[in-house]
Amino acid sequence: MSGKAKDILQMDLYGLLAIESSATTKEIKKAYRQKALTCHPDKNPDNPKAAELFHQLSQALEVLTDAAARIARLREEGSRQLEEEQRLIREQIQREREAQQQQTGDMERCSRSNVTPKLKLKWKCKKNDEMNGGYSKDILLRLLQKYGDVLNVIVSIKKKGSAVVEFATVRAAERAVKNECGLSGNPLKIWWLEGQPEVIPPASQPGSFISLTNERDYESVVMMRMRQAAERQRLIEQMQREDEEDAARS
C-alpha cells in the first residue's frame, strides 16, 4: 500500500466529512457530495491542495461506506428481531394483566409496607449533555408504560443520567426491573429504590400454583430473549471495532 493510502486510513475520516461515527451510508454519501462540491479542483484553481483534498474525500467515501454497509445490514436484521421479541413481550404482558385483573381486582395495589413501588434508573450521561444521554421524561414513560400504570417519573436535573419512576403496582415494577434495557446505544440500569414491596396474595385464589409456574416459564423465556438481543448488539459493536482496527492497520 502506498504512503498516501496509509495516510488516509490514519486520518479521522468522519471528521474529514464532518459527520458522526454513527452516520449511515446515506448520510456519508450526502456529506461527501456536499464537501466534494466545495473542494473540487475546478472550483479552486488557486488552491494547490484542492486536488489532494478531493482525492482524500473520495477515499474516505470508499472506506466508510464499505464498513457502514456491513454494519447497517447487521443492525437492520437485529432491529427486526428485537421488535418482534418486544411485540411478543407486550402481548404476553397484556394477557397476563387482563387475567390478573379478573382474578385479583385491586388486590395487586396493596402491599404489607403500604407504599407504591419505586425504581431507581441510571444511564451514562456527560455533565454538559443537553440531551441527557438520550433520555427525557416522555421517552422514559414510553419505555415503561408497557409494563403497567406509571404514577410518576422524576428526572433529576442536578444529577445527569438519573431518574426515579413510581409504578401503580408491584407487578408492573417487577416486569420493568426484569425486562427493560432502555435505548440500545445507552442502556438503563434499574433497581428498587426502597426495596421490593411484598404483595399480599389473594386469599383462596384458585389455580394460583399453575399461574406461578406459568409466570416462571414466561420470565425464563423473556430473559433468554433479552440475552439474545444483548448478544446481537455486542456482536455488531465488535464488528464495528474490528473494521476500524483493520482500517488503521492497513
Side-chain angles (χ1 to χ4, degrees):
M1 180 177 291
S2 67
K4 289 187 176 181
K6 290 182 179 180
D7 290 342
I8 191 66
L9 292 176
Q10 293 174 357
M11 293 177 61
D12 179 6
L13 303 184
Y14 292 101
L16 184 63
L17 293 174
I19 55 175
E20 298 292 334
S21 59
S22 58
T24 63
T25 301
K26 183 177 180 180
E27 292 169 338
I28 292 171
K29 290 181 178 179
K30 180 180 179 181
Y32 165 77
R33 288 194 295 269
Q34 292 174 342
K35 281 279 188 178
L37 286 174
T38 60
C39 300
H40 197 281
D42 292 344
K43 292 190 176 183
N44 298 272
D46 298 330
N47 185 358
K49 296 184 178 181
E52 181 181 355
L53 177 57
F54 186 77
H55 181 62
Q56 290 176 348
L57 290 173
S58 300
Q59 288 183 308
L61 174 67
E62 181 180 354
V63 172
L64 295 182
T65 51
D66 180 63
R70 292 174 60 197
I71 294 169
R73 286 195 297 270
L74 283 173
R75 283 177 175 165
E76 183 178 358
E77 180 182 351
S79 177
R80 285 197 302 268
Q81 293 179 4
L82 185 57
E83 287 176 1
E84 176 63 15
E85 290 167 1
Q86 290 176 338
R87 182 185 67 80
L88 294 173
I89 290 173
R90 287 194 296 268
E91 290 179 355
Q92 178 65 30
I93 289 173
Q94 181 62 28
R95 289 194 295 269
E96 184 182 289
R97 181 187 296 175
E98 292 172 355
Q100 191 75 14
Q101 288 173 347
Q102 292 175 358
Q103 293 177 357
T104 67
D106 294 333
M107 184 65 73
E108 192 183 41
R109 293 179 180 272
C110 300
S111 68
R112 290 196 175 96
S113 60
N114 196 30
V115 296
T116 53
K118 301 178 184 64
L119 302 179
K120 181 74 173 181
L121 281 61
K122 294 279 288 184
W123 60 90
K124 291 182 179 179
C125 179
K126 297 180 180 179
K127 291 183 179 180
N128 58 350
D129 184 1
E130 295 181 357
M131 300 301 294
N132 201 22
Y135 290 96
S136 64
K137 182 177 180 179
D138 289 340
I139 291 176
L140 290 172
L141 274 172
R142 192 160 60 247
L143 290 171
L144 300 170
Q145 282 177 336
K146 60 179 176 283
Y147 301 107
D149 294 335
V150 177
L151 299 180
N152 197 13
V153 173
I154 302 174
V155 180
S156 176
I157 298 176
K158 294 183 179 179
K159 192 172 183 181
K160 291 285 189 177
S162 177
V164 173
V165 58
E166 181 181 17
F167 280 94
T169 66
V170 176
R171 184 60 58 84
E174 287 175 343
R175 296 182 190 123
V177 171
K178 293 175 182 177
N179 299 322
E180 186 55 50
C181 296
L183 303 176
S184 59
N186 191 4
L188 288 173
K189 294 181 180 180
I190 306 177
W191 66 91
W192 296 93
L193 180 63
E194 300 169 339
Q196 181 175 355
E198 188 174 359
V199 176
I200 301 176
S204 303
Q205 179 179 326
S208 60
F209 176 76
I210 296 176
S211 175
L212 179 60
T213 302
N214 290 340
E215 183 180 346
R216 284 174 177 169
D217 292 342
Y218 161 66
E219 289 174 357
S220 298
V221 172
V222 169
M223 293 305 296
M224 179 185 68
R225 288 173 177 167
M226 298 305 293
R227 285 195 295 270
Q228 290 172 343
E231 179 64 15
R232 283 197 301 276
Q233 181 66 27
R234 187 188 67 79
L235 289 174
I236 290 172
E237 294 174 353
Q238 180 181 349
M239 178 163 284
Q240 186 174 14
R241 288 195 300 270
E242 290 175 351
D243 285 337
E244 293 172 353
E245 291 172 358
D246 289 343
R249 286 195 297 266
S250 300

